[in-house]
Amino acid sequence: MKIERPRGTRDFLPDEMEKRRAIEKVMRRIAESYGYREVLTPTFEHLELFTIKSGEGIIEEIYAFKDKGGRDLALRPELTAPVIRMFVNECTGMPKPLRFYYFANCFRYERPQKGRYREFWQFGVELIGSASPLADAEVISLAYRIMDELKIEFDLHIGHVGLLRHLLRDLDENVASKIMRLIDKKDIEGLESYLDETKVDSDLRDSIFSLVELVGSRDIIESAREIIPNFDFSHIEKVCDILDALDVEYKLDFGIARGLDYYTGVVFEAYAREGLGAQNQICGGGSYRLAHLFGGDDTPATGFALGFDRIAEICKVEVVRKKKVVVVSFKGLEGEAFKIASMLRNRAVVVTDVMERNVKKQLSYANDINADLAVIVGERELRDGKVAVKDLKSGEQKTVSMEELLDVI
Ligand code: HAM
Protein backbone atom coordinates (compact mmCIF):
# COMPACT_ATOMS: atom_id res chain seq x y z
CA MET A 1 0.00 0.00 0.00
CA LYS A 2 1.35 3.40 -0.98
CA ILE A 3 1.09 5.94 1.79
CA GLU A 4 0.87 9.60 0.81
CA ARG A 5 2.21 12.36 3.01
CA PRO A 6 -0.37 14.45 4.87
CA ARG A 7 -1.98 17.36 3.03
CA GLY A 8 -0.02 20.60 3.27
CA THR A 9 3.30 18.90 4.12
CA ARG A 10 6.29 18.38 1.86
CA ASP A 11 9.28 16.10 1.38
CA PHE A 12 12.59 17.79 0.68
CA LEU A 13 15.05 15.98 -1.58
CA PRO A 14 18.80 16.62 -1.33
CA ASP A 15 19.03 19.38 -3.99
CA GLU A 16 16.23 21.29 -2.28
CA MET A 17 17.74 20.72 1.17
CA GLU A 18 21.13 22.00 -0.01
CA LYS A 19 19.48 25.17 -1.21
CA ARG A 20 17.46 25.56 2.00
CA ARG A 21 20.56 25.08 4.13
CA ALA A 22 22.46 27.67 2.09
CA ILE A 23 19.66 30.21 2.68
CA GLU A 24 19.44 29.33 6.36
CA LYS A 25 23.19 29.87 6.67
CA VAL A 26 22.89 33.44 5.34
CA MET A 27 20.04 34.18 7.77
CA ARG A 28 21.96 32.78 10.75
CA ARG A 29 25.15 34.61 9.83
CA ILE A 30 23.42 37.99 9.61
CA ALA A 31 21.31 37.52 12.77
CA GLU A 32 24.40 36.42 14.71
CA SER A 33 26.35 39.43 13.45
CA TYR A 34 23.73 41.62 15.19
CA GLY A 35 24.29 39.76 18.47
CA TYR A 36 21.26 37.41 18.26
CA ARG A 37 21.76 33.91 19.68
CA GLU A 38 19.77 30.82 18.75
CA VAL A 39 17.04 29.37 20.94
CA LEU A 40 14.68 26.45 20.45
CA THR A 41 11.40 25.72 22.19
CA PRO A 42 9.26 22.55 22.10
CA THR A 43 7.35 21.58 18.98
CA PHE A 44 4.17 21.36 21.07
CA GLU A 45 2.97 23.54 23.92
CA HIS A 46 -0.06 23.87 26.16
CA LEU A 47 -2.92 25.03 23.95
CA GLU A 48 -3.64 28.03 26.18
CA LEU A 49 -0.26 29.57 25.32
CA PHE A 50 -1.75 30.38 21.92
CA THR A 51 -5.37 30.96 22.89
CA ILE A 52 -4.56 33.65 25.47
CA LYS A 53 -3.64 36.31 22.95
CA SER A 54 -2.65 35.08 19.54
CA GLY A 55 -5.97 36.01 17.98
CA GLU A 56 -8.89 34.12 16.57
CA GLY A 57 -7.28 33.88 13.15
CA ILE A 58 -4.56 31.67 14.53
CA ILE A 59 -6.80 29.77 16.94
CA GLU A 60 -8.98 28.49 14.12
CA GLU A 61 -5.84 27.24 12.41
CA ILE A 62 -4.24 25.50 15.37
CA TYR A 63 -3.40 21.80 15.33
CA ALA A 64 -4.79 21.08 18.80
CA PHE A 65 -5.05 17.66 20.41
CA LYS A 66 -5.37 15.92 23.75
CA ASP A 67 -2.49 13.74 24.90
CA LYS A 68 -2.99 10.42 26.67
CA GLY A 69 -3.17 12.25 30.00
CA GLY A 70 -6.07 14.38 28.73
CA ARG A 71 -3.97 17.57 28.49
CA ASP A 72 -4.85 20.12 25.81
CA LEU A 73 -1.80 20.60 23.64
CA ALA A 74 -1.07 22.30 20.33
CA LEU A 75 1.62 22.12 17.68
CA ARG A 76 3.19 25.59 17.63
CA PRO A 77 1.66 27.84 14.93
CA GLU A 78 4.46 30.38 15.49
CA LEU A 79 7.33 31.01 17.88
CA THR A 80 6.77 34.40 19.47
CA ALA A 81 4.47 33.15 22.26
CA PRO A 82 6.75 30.13 22.98
CA VAL A 83 9.88 32.29 23.10
CA ILE A 84 8.24 34.74 25.50
CA ARG A 85 7.00 31.82 27.63
CA MET A 86 10.59 30.55 27.72
CA PHE A 87 11.82 34.04 28.59
CA VAL A 88 9.39 34.28 31.52
CA ASN A 89 10.25 30.77 32.75
CA GLU A 90 14.01 30.79 32.29
CA CYS A 91 15.55 34.11 31.38
CA THR A 92 14.20 36.97 33.48
CA GLY A 93 17.50 37.22 35.36
CA MET A 94 19.53 37.70 32.19
CA PRO A 95 20.82 41.17 31.22
CA LYS A 96 18.40 43.05 29.00
CA PRO A 97 17.88 43.47 26.19
CA LEU A 98 17.84 39.82 25.13
CA ARG A 99 18.44 39.02 21.50
CA PHE A 100 17.14 35.61 20.44
CA TYR A 101 16.74 34.02 17.04
CA TYR A 102 15.11 30.78 15.93
CA PHE A 103 14.71 28.60 12.90
CA ALA A 104 11.99 26.02 13.32
CA ASN A 105 8.91 24.40 11.83
CA CYS A 106 5.42 25.69 12.58
CA PHE A 107 2.02 24.12 11.96
CA ARG A 108 -1.20 25.77 10.86
CA TYR A 109 -4.35 24.03 9.73
CA GLU A 110 -4.86 26.21 6.66
CA ARG A 111 -6.14 25.51 3.18
CA PRO A 112 -2.93 24.58 1.36
CA GLN A 113 -1.96 26.44 -1.79
CA LYS A 114 1.22 27.77 -3.41
CA GLY A 115 3.32 29.24 -0.61
CA ARG A 116 0.86 28.17 2.09
CA TYR A 117 1.52 24.94 3.90
CA ARG A 118 0.35 23.14 7.02
CA GLU A 119 3.94 22.59 8.07
CA PHE A 120 6.28 25.45 7.25
CA TRP A 121 9.45 27.00 8.62
CA GLN A 122 10.06 30.38 10.16
CA PHE A 123 13.33 32.15 10.73
CA GLY A 124 12.68 34.83 13.30
CA VAL A 125 14.11 37.04 16.00
CA GLU A 126 12.76 38.46 19.25
CA LEU A 127 14.41 41.48 20.89
CA ILE A 128 13.15 41.47 24.47
CA GLY A 129 13.24 44.26 27.03
CA SER A 130 13.06 47.52 25.10
CA ALA A 131 10.09 49.64 24.10
CA SER A 132 12.34 52.12 22.31
CA PRO A 133 11.97 53.00 18.64
CA LEU A 134 15.64 52.01 18.45
CA ALA A 135 14.63 48.39 19.09
CA ASP A 136 12.02 48.50 16.31
CA ALA A 137 14.54 50.10 13.97
CA GLU A 138 17.08 47.38 14.76
CA VAL A 139 14.78 44.45 13.99
CA ILE A 140 13.35 46.08 10.87
CA SER A 141 16.82 46.81 9.52
CA LEU A 142 17.92 43.25 10.34
CA ALA A 143 14.98 41.75 8.41
CA TYR A 144 15.74 44.13 5.56
CA ARG A 145 19.44 43.17 5.52
CA ILE A 146 18.59 39.46 5.30
CA MET A 147 16.11 39.86 2.43
CA ASP A 148 18.44 42.26 0.65
CA GLU A 149 21.45 39.96 0.97
CA LEU A 150 19.36 37.07 -0.40
CA LYS A 151 18.71 39.30 -3.44
CA ILE A 152 14.95 39.13 -3.07
CA GLU A 153 12.84 41.81 -4.75
CA PHE A 154 10.47 42.98 -2.03
CA ASP A 155 8.46 45.89 -0.68
CA LEU A 156 8.70 46.67 3.00
CA HIS A 157 5.65 48.28 4.61
CA ILE A 158 5.74 49.74 8.10
CA GLY A 159 2.73 50.75 10.14
CA HIS A 160 1.57 51.21 13.70
CA VAL A 161 -1.33 49.22 15.16
CA GLY A 162 -1.59 51.82 17.92
CA LEU A 163 -3.41 54.10 15.48
CA LEU A 164 -6.14 51.61 14.62
CA ARG A 165 -6.41 50.50 18.23
CA HIS A 166 -6.74 54.15 19.28
CA LEU A 167 -9.60 54.61 16.81
CA LEU A 168 -11.31 51.42 17.98
CA ARG A 169 -10.69 51.94 21.71
CA ASP A 170 -14.34 52.51 22.65
CA LEU A 171 -15.65 49.46 20.81
CA ASP A 172 -16.20 46.07 22.38
CA GLU A 173 -12.88 44.12 22.34
CA ASN A 174 -14.27 41.33 20.15
CA VAL A 175 -15.70 43.81 17.66
CA ALA A 176 -12.40 45.71 17.51
CA SER A 177 -10.50 42.47 17.05
CA LYS A 178 -12.80 41.36 14.21
CA ILE A 179 -12.37 44.74 12.51
CA MET A 180 -8.58 44.39 12.79
CA ARG A 181 -8.78 40.96 11.19
CA LEU A 182 -10.86 42.17 8.28
CA ILE A 183 -8.39 45.01 7.75
CA ASP A 184 -5.51 42.50 7.94
CA LYS A 185 -7.16 40.39 5.23
CA LYS A 186 -7.77 43.57 3.16
CA ASP A 187 -11.40 42.43 3.01
CA ILE A 188 -12.95 45.85 2.37
CA GLU A 189 -16.39 44.50 1.45
CA GLY A 190 -16.45 42.33 4.56
CA LEU A 191 -15.36 45.33 6.61
CA GLU A 192 -18.12 47.52 5.19
CA SER A 193 -20.84 45.02 5.95
CA TYR A 194 -19.42 44.31 9.42
CA LEU A 195 -19.36 48.05 10.24
CA ASP A 196 -23.00 48.24 9.07
CA GLU A 197 -23.96 45.23 11.11
CA THR A 198 -22.35 46.53 14.30
CA LYS A 199 -23.69 50.07 13.69
CA VAL A 200 -20.31 51.78 13.95
CA ASP A 201 -20.97 55.53 13.65
CA SER A 202 -20.17 57.23 10.38
CA ASP A 203 -17.34 59.48 11.67
CA LEU A 204 -15.44 56.52 13.04
CA ARG A 205 -16.17 54.60 9.89
CA ASP A 206 -14.73 57.40 7.74
CA SER A 207 -11.65 57.59 9.95
CA ILE A 208 -11.08 53.83 9.67
CA PHE A 209 -11.31 53.89 5.89
CA SER A 210 -9.14 56.99 5.54
CA LEU A 211 -6.49 55.51 7.80
CA VAL A 212 -6.26 52.11 6.14
CA GLU A 213 -5.89 53.73 2.75
CA LEU A 214 -2.85 55.70 3.88
CA VAL A 215 0.17 54.16 2.18
CA GLY A 216 3.20 56.13 1.05
CA SER A 217 6.30 58.04 2.07
CA ARG A 218 6.87 59.71 5.44
CA ASP A 219 4.60 62.56 4.39
CA ILE A 220 1.53 60.45 5.16
CA ILE A 221 2.24 60.98 8.86
CA GLU A 222 0.80 64.47 8.35
CA SER A 223 -2.42 63.03 6.89
CA ALA A 224 -2.61 60.49 9.73
CA ARG A 225 -2.22 63.35 12.21
CA GLU A 226 -5.30 64.97 10.70
CA ILE A 227 -7.30 61.78 11.25
CA ILE A 228 -6.01 61.18 14.79
CA PRO A 229 -4.75 64.56 16.09
CA ASN A 230 -4.01 63.43 19.65
CA PHE A 231 -1.83 60.45 18.72
CA ASP A 232 1.91 60.66 19.47
CA PHE A 233 3.76 60.05 16.21
CA SER A 234 7.24 60.63 17.65
CA HIS A 235 7.97 56.89 18.02
CA ILE A 236 7.31 56.03 14.39
CA GLU A 237 9.12 59.20 13.30
CA LYS A 238 12.23 58.11 15.20
CA VAL A 239 12.05 54.64 13.58
CA CYS A 240 11.87 56.38 10.19
CA ASP A 241 14.85 58.62 11.06
CA ILE A 242 17.04 55.61 11.76
CA LEU A 243 15.88 53.59 8.77
CA ASP A 244 16.45 56.61 6.53
CA ALA A 245 19.97 56.96 7.91
CA LEU A 246 20.57 53.30 7.00
CA ASP A 247 19.09 53.74 3.49
CA VAL A 248 16.43 51.15 4.22
CA GLU A 249 13.69 51.48 1.62
CA TYR A 250 10.16 51.26 2.95
CA LYS A 251 6.65 52.63 2.70
CA LEU A 252 4.54 53.71 5.63
CA ASP A 253 1.24 51.85 5.62
CA PHE A 254 -1.29 52.52 8.35
CA GLY A 255 -3.53 49.76 7.03
CA ILE A 256 -1.28 47.01 8.42
CA ALA A 257 -3.32 45.29 11.14
CA ARG A 258 -1.44 41.91 11.41
CA GLY A 259 -3.29 38.65 11.95
CA LEU A 260 -2.05 38.14 15.52
CA ASP A 261 -3.62 40.05 18.40
CA TYR A 262 -0.57 40.72 20.56
CA TYR A 263 0.94 43.65 18.65
CA THR A 264 0.89 47.00 20.39
CA GLY A 265 3.00 49.41 18.35
CA VAL A 266 5.08 49.49 15.19
CA VAL A 267 4.28 46.60 12.84
CA PHE A 268 5.77 45.68 9.50
CA GLU A 269 5.39 43.29 6.62
CA ALA A 270 7.42 42.52 3.51
CA TYR A 271 5.89 41.34 0.26
CA ALA A 272 7.79 39.62 -2.52
CA ARG A 273 7.28 41.40 -5.85
CA GLU A 274 7.36 38.23 -7.96
CA GLY A 275 7.02 34.49 -7.92
CA LEU A 276 4.57 33.85 -5.10
CA GLY A 277 1.13 34.92 -6.26
CA ALA A 278 -1.39 35.59 -3.51
CA GLN A 279 0.80 34.32 -0.66
CA ASN A 280 3.48 36.93 -1.19
CA GLN A 281 4.00 38.02 2.41
CA ILE A 282 7.51 36.84 3.24
CA CYS A 283 8.00 38.61 6.55
CA GLY A 284 5.83 39.88 9.36
CA GLY A 285 6.62 41.41 12.70
CA GLY A 286 6.31 44.25 15.14
CA SER A 287 6.37 45.24 18.78
CA TYR A 288 4.15 43.49 21.28
CA ARG A 289 3.61 42.63 24.94
CA LEU A 290 3.02 39.05 26.04
CA ALA A 291 5.22 38.36 29.10
CA HIS A 292 2.64 39.60 31.64
CA LEU A 293 0.07 37.16 30.21
CA PHE A 294 2.41 34.25 30.91
CA GLY A 295 3.06 35.14 34.54
CA GLY A 296 6.01 37.48 34.05
CA ASP A 297 6.50 41.22 34.42
CA ASP A 298 5.08 43.37 31.67
CA THR A 299 8.03 43.41 29.26
CA PRO A 300 8.12 45.10 25.89
CA ALA A 301 9.48 43.14 22.95
CA THR A 302 9.76 43.40 19.20
CA GLY A 303 10.61 40.92 16.49
CA PHE A 304 9.75 39.34 13.17
CA ALA A 305 9.51 36.03 11.39
CA LEU A 306 10.52 35.37 7.81
CA GLY A 307 8.46 32.82 5.89
CA PHE A 308 11.34 30.53 5.08
CA ASP A 309 9.53 28.36 2.52
CA ARG A 310 8.27 31.33 0.56
CA ILE A 311 11.77 32.79 0.52
CA ALA A 312 13.26 29.45 -0.57
CA GLU A 313 10.75 29.36 -3.42
CA ILE A 314 11.88 32.67 -4.95
CA CYS A 315 15.47 32.99 -3.82
CA LYS A 316 18.28 32.06 -6.18
CA VAL A 317 21.10 31.35 -3.78
CA GLU A 318 24.34 29.85 -5.00
CA VAL A 319 25.06 26.48 -3.40
CA VAL A 320 28.78 25.93 -2.84
CA ARG A 321 29.49 22.25 -3.24
CA LYS A 322 32.59 20.35 -2.21
CA LYS A 323 34.37 18.21 -4.79
CA LYS A 324 32.77 14.76 -5.09
CA VAL A 325 35.11 11.75 -5.33
CA VAL A 326 34.27 8.09 -5.85
CA VAL A 327 36.88 5.56 -4.75
CA VAL A 328 36.53 2.62 -7.12
CA SER A 329 38.12 -0.70 -6.22
CA PHE A 330 38.81 -4.09 -7.70
CA LYS A 331 37.46 -7.10 -5.86
CA GLY A 332 39.45 -7.89 -2.73
CA LEU A 333 40.73 -4.31 -2.33
CA GLU A 334 37.67 -2.89 -0.60
CA GLY A 335 39.56 -2.45 2.67
CA GLU A 336 42.21 -0.36 0.88
CA ALA A 337 39.47 1.65 -0.82
CA PHE A 338 37.80 2.36 2.54
CA LYS A 339 41.17 3.46 3.98
CA ILE A 340 41.91 5.80 1.09
CA ALA A 341 38.37 7.22 1.28
CA SER A 342 38.82 7.94 5.00
CA MET A 343 42.07 9.75 4.29
CA LEU A 344 40.40 11.99 1.70
CA ARG A 345 37.21 12.88 3.57
CA ASN A 346 38.54 16.03 5.20
CA ARG A 347 39.08 17.47 1.70
CA ALA A 348 36.12 16.23 -0.31
CA VAL A 349 32.90 14.28 -0.33
CA VAL A 350 34.06 10.70 -0.83
CA VAL A 351 31.97 7.62 -1.52
CA THR A 352 32.94 4.00 -1.97
CA ASP A 353 31.14 1.02 -3.45
CA VAL A 354 28.78 -0.81 -1.13
CA MET A 355 26.94 -2.75 -3.84
CA GLU A 356 29.85 -5.12 -4.66
CA ARG A 357 29.78 -3.97 -8.28
CA ASN A 358 32.55 -4.47 -10.81
CA VAL A 359 34.86 -1.56 -11.69
CA LYS A 360 32.98 -0.64 -14.87
CA LYS A 361 29.69 -0.37 -13.01
CA GLN A 362 31.31 1.57 -10.17
CA LEU A 363 32.62 4.10 -12.72
CA SER A 364 29.27 4.33 -14.40
CA TYR A 365 27.65 5.05 -11.02
CA ALA A 366 30.29 7.74 -10.38
CA ASN A 367 29.18 9.44 -13.60
CA ASP A 368 25.51 9.04 -12.73
CA ILE A 369 25.92 10.82 -9.41
CA ASN A 370 27.86 13.60 -11.08
CA ALA A 371 31.14 12.97 -9.29
CA ASP A 372 34.18 15.06 -10.23
CA LEU A 373 36.88 12.43 -9.76
CA ALA A 374 37.24 8.67 -9.53
CA VAL A 375 40.16 7.22 -7.61
CA ILE A 376 40.75 3.69 -8.92
CA VAL A 377 42.41 1.28 -6.53
CA GLY A 378 44.10 -1.55 -8.43
CA GLU A 379 46.49 -4.31 -7.44
CA ARG A 380 49.39 -3.27 -9.68
CA GLU A 381 49.39 0.47 -8.81
CA LEU A 382 48.89 -0.25 -5.15
CA ARG A 383 52.08 -2.39 -5.09
CA ASP A 384 53.99 0.83 -6.01
CA GLY A 385 52.03 2.86 -3.45
CA LYS A 386 49.99 4.49 -6.23
CA VAL A 387 46.41 4.83 -7.49
CA ALA A 388 44.82 5.95 -10.76
CA VAL A 389 42.85 9.20 -10.74
CA LYS A 390 40.27 9.86 -13.43
CA ASP A 391 38.83 13.31 -14.03
CA LEU A 392 35.22 12.40 -14.82
CA LYS A 393 34.49 15.69 -16.56
CA SER A 394 37.43 15.57 -19.04
CA GLY A 395 38.02 11.81 -19.06
CA GLU A 396 41.73 12.38 -18.37
CA GLN A 397 43.41 9.71 -16.27
CA LYS A 398 46.79 9.55 -14.55
CA THR A 399 48.61 7.47 -11.97
CA VAL A 400 49.74 9.29 -8.83
CA SER A 401 51.40 8.50 -5.52
CA MET A 402 49.36 8.78 -2.29
CA GLU A 403 51.03 12.16 -1.50
CA GLU A 404 50.25 13.48 -4.97
CA LEU A 405 46.66 12.25 -4.57
CA LEU A 406 46.18 14.69 -1.68
CA ASP A 407 47.29 17.55 -3.95
CA VAL A 408 44.92 16.54 -6.72
CA ILE A 409 41.91 16.53 -4.40
P1 HAM B 1 3.06 35.74 10.74
O1 HAM B 1 2.90 36.91 9.83
O2 HAM B 1 1.86 34.99 11.14
O3 HAM B 1 3.83 36.27 12.01
O4 HAM B 1 4.08 34.71 10.08
C1 HAM B 1 5.35 35.15 9.62
C2 HAM B 1 5.60 34.64 8.22
O5 HAM B 1 5.47 33.22 8.17
C3 HAM B 1 4.57 35.13 7.20
O6 HAM B 1 4.91 36.43 6.73
C4 HAM B 1 4.68 34.09 6.11
O7 HAM B 1 5.76 34.39 5.23
C5 HAM B 1 5.03 32.84 6.87
N1 HAM B 1 3.86 31.96 6.96
C6 HAM B 1 2.78 32.10 7.76
N2 HAM B 1 1.89 31.10 7.55
C7 HAM B 1 2.43 30.29 6.60
C8 HAM B 1 2.02 29.09 5.95
N3 HAM B 1 0.87 28.50 6.25
N4 HAM B 1 2.84 28.55 5.01
C9 HAM B 1 4.01 29.14 4.69
N5 HAM B 1 4.46 30.27 5.27
C10 HAM B 1 3.69 30.85 6.21
C11 HAM B 1 4.22 35.49 13.07
O8 HAM B 1 4.16 34.28 13.07
C12 HAM B 1 4.84 36.28 14.20
N6 HAM B 1 5.21 35.33 15.25
C13 HAM B 1 6.02 37.10 13.75
C14 HAM B 1 6.65 37.88 14.86
C15 HAM B 1 7.79 37.61 15.51
N7 HAM B 1 6.17 38.99 15.39
C16 HAM B 1 6.96 39.40 16.38
N8 HAM B 1 7.96 38.55 16.45
Side-chain angles (χ1 to χ4, degrees):
M1 188 181 63
K2 199 171 152 206
I3 300 175
E4 303 290 343
R5 46 169 205 267
R7 206 165 125 74
T9 63
R10 285 151 302 150
D11 297 313
F12 301 103
L13 293 172
D15 283 345
E16 179 70 14
M17 277 313 292
E18 264 175 8
K19 180 180 174 186
R20 289 171 70 94
R21 290 294 184 210
I23 295 170
E24 183 194 327
K25 215 166 142 184
V26 172
M27 293 179 173
R28 285 177 185 279
R29 173 169 52 74
I30 299 175
E32 284 170 13
S33 76
Y34 278 67
Y36 288 76
R37 299 180 67 210
E38 187 173 11
V39 293
L40 186 62
T41 59
T43 309
F44 55 90
E45 297 270 0
H46 289 294
L47 176 61
E48 63 179 334
L49 179 70
F50 304 109
T51 53
I52 289 181
K53 196 70 188 175
S54 288
E56 223 177 87
I58 277 285
I59 291 165
E60 285 165 11
E61 293 164 4
I62 279 181
Y63 269 92
F65 58 99
K66 275 197 197 297
D67 72 1
K68 292 192 171 72
R71 287 172 277 263
D72 283 308
L73 299 175
L75 298 181
R76 60 176 170 227
E78 57 115 34
L79 281 107
T80 304
V83 167
I84 297 303
R85 178 203 48 70
M86 179 195 72
F87 160 73
V88 169
N89 295 350
E90 323 275 349
C91 318
T92 45
M94 292 182 181
K96 287 196 195 62
L98 287 123
R99 290 182 169 89
F100 290 151
Y101 82 85
Y102 47 80
F103 176 64
N105 52 350
C106 302
F107 306 85
R108 294 188 191 176
Y109 197 78
E110 298 192 271
R111 202 163 41 78
Q113 53 176 266
K114 186 179 162 75
R116 195 207 268 163
Y117 308 102
R118 290 185 172 173
E119 183 190 26
F120 62 97
W121 274 256
Q122 284 189 346
F123 184 96
V125 313
E126 308 300 342
L127 170 51
I128 304 165
S130 169
S132 162
L134 303 178
D136 289 323
E138 175 174 303
V139 298
I140 295 172
S141 63
L142 168 53
Y144 185 89
R145 263 290 309 285
I146 292 176
M147 292 183 285
D148 194 44
E149 182 132 343
L150 288 169
K151 301 197 171 56
I152 296 166
E153 300 262 356
F154 65 95
D155 293 303
L156 173 63
H157 284 210
I158 302 172
H160 195 306
V161 285
L163 272 84
L164 278 167
R165 289 207 199 287
H166 184 88
L167 278 182
L168 307 176
R169 68 191 179 284
D170 293 332
L171 300 180
D172 171 77
E173 203 184 320
N174 291 330
V175 173
S177 161
K178 172 93 193 238
I179 293 174
M180 293 292 277
R181 206 152 21 260
L182 290 165
I183 296 172
D184 175 52
K185 295 215 169 87
K186 307 264 177 278
D187 181 358
I188 299 301
E189 268 174 42
L191 180 61
E192 277 174 353
S193 57
Y194 187 67
L195 294 177
D196 285 343
E197 198 185 302
T198 48
K199 301 194 174 55
V200 166
D201 82 68
S202 66
D203 281 353
L204 177 54
R205 201 190 163 98
D206 289 348
S207 300
I208 294 172
F209 280 109
S210 315
L211 193 67
V212 301
E213 278 159 18
L214 277 184
V215 183
S217 63
R218 277 184 79 161
D219 308 340
I220 68 161
I221 291 180
E222 291 320 311
S223 319
R225 228 190 280 277
E226 281 167 26
I227 303 168
I228 313 179
N230 46 355
F231 189 83
D232 181 4
F233 285 90
S234 62
H235 185 108
I236 188 124
E237 279 179 328
K238 181 76 184 174
V239 173
C240 292
D241 285 344
I242 294 181
L243 296 179
D244 291 345
L246 290 170
D247 290 328
V248 168
E249 284 174 36
Y250 62 92
K251 279 205 173 93
L252 287 184
D253 179 347
F254 293 125
I256 300 181
R258 304 287 295 134
L260 298 154
D261 275 351
Y262 48 62
Y263 295 102
T264 49
V266 167
V267 284
F268 59 102
E269 292 178 346
Y271 316 102
R273 287 193 193 138
E274 280 173 6
L276 282 171
Q279 303 303 317
N280 68 342
Q281 197 196 115
I282 51 171
C283 177
S287 55
Y288 60 91
R289 283 170 191 265
L290 276 174
H292 62 292
L293 299 172
F294 306 153
D297 293 337
D298 187 12
T299 312
T302 179
F304 65 81
L306 293 156
F308 187 82
D309 308 86
R310 294 181 187 175
I311 288 179
E313 174 95 24
I314 53 169
C315 172
K316 292 180 197 69
V317 75
E318 206 196 320
V319 177
V320 188
R321 288 200 180 85
K322 278 190 170 176
K323 207 177 256 185
K324 200 189 275 183
V325 179
V326 177
V327 180
V328 171
S329 62
F330 284 87
K331 205 166 171 53
L333 297 177
E334 297 86 359
E336 292 300 331
F338 270 52
K339 258 169 46 191
I340 292 169
S342 290
M343 180 179 89
L344 300 178
R345 283 202 174 103
N346 55 3
R347 296 169 181 255
V349 172
V350 188
V351 301
T352 55
D353 173 58
V354 292
M355 303 283 281
E356 307 199 22
R357 285 177 172 142
N358 65 32
V359 167
K360 191 167 166 231
K361 286 200 172 137
Q362 290 181 48
L363 280 169
S364 143
Y365 176 70
N367 276 312
D368 291 345
I369 63 167
N370 228 345
D372 301 287
L373 291 174
V375 173
I376 306 160
V377 185
E379 189 81 56
R380 196 157 29 91
E381 291 84 359
L382 208 57
R383 239 182 275 129
D384 302 332
K386 293 185 171 168
V387 286
V389 180
K390 184 173 184 183
D391 183 324
L392 295 169
K393 307 286 178 229
S394 67
E396 214 177 287
Q397 186 169 328
K398 57 184 175 188
T399 304
V400 297
S401 69
M402 293 298 173
E403 295 78 53
E404 284 166 339
L405 178 63
L406 292 178
D407 296 335
V408 180
I409 286 165

